[in-house]
Amino acid sequence: MSETFWAAVAALTGLAGNITAVVVAVVSLRKADQALAQAYAVDGASSAIAWRDQVIALHDRGLTPDQIREIMLLEDGGEGYERSNGRIDDIVSAIPRRPAS
């Protein structure tokens, strides 16, 4: 067999290796993107749970939804929290206040 044949085989083998590397990279990027999206969703859920816990704790202390809103808006970035984590009026509407101990 001639040198050009073996050069062509070597070139095709190299090309196949490069294609394999590209496919592995694409699959890895997709997996990383899915993991990032999942982590973001978990972080968002944790934020909403913490927001609701704070709202309920202030409600238990006897504050009205307007007073709670005023306090929660003082937090850094608090302006958009109610829109994304739950309206204060909706959160406290069905929750009776805990009796003072």
Side-chain angles (χ1 to χ4, degrees):
M1 301 226 171
S2 70
E3 275 186 40
T4 42
F5 172 77
W6 291 114
V9 169
L12 287 175
T13 303
L15 180 62
N18 287 341
I19 291 172
T20 302
V22 168
V23 169
V24 168
V26 168
V27 170
S28 296
L29 285 173
R30 285 188 181 169
K31 295 272 186 194
D33 190 43
Q34 290 171 348
L36 184 61
Q38 186 177 19
Y40 182 74
V42 169
D43 188 40
S46 297
S47 174
I49 290 168
W51 164 266
R52 291 166 189 237
D53 284 346
Q54 289 175 320
V55 168
I56 292 168
L58 292 170
H59 177 69
D60 284 345
R61 295 182 76 178
L63 277 68
T64 66
D66 287 334
Q67 292 170 320
I68 295 169
R69 186 172 294 105
E70 193 173 317
I71 291 169
M72 298 303 271
L73 289 177
L74 294 174
E75 288 188 31
D76 185 33
E79 190 71 35
Y81 285 167
E82 186 172 8
R83 183 177 50 242
S84 61
N85 292 329
R87 285 179 12 105
I88 293 169
D89 299 299
D90 295 339
I91 294 170
V92 301
S93 65
I95 301 174
R97 283 199 175 98
R98 209 181 286 169
S101 48

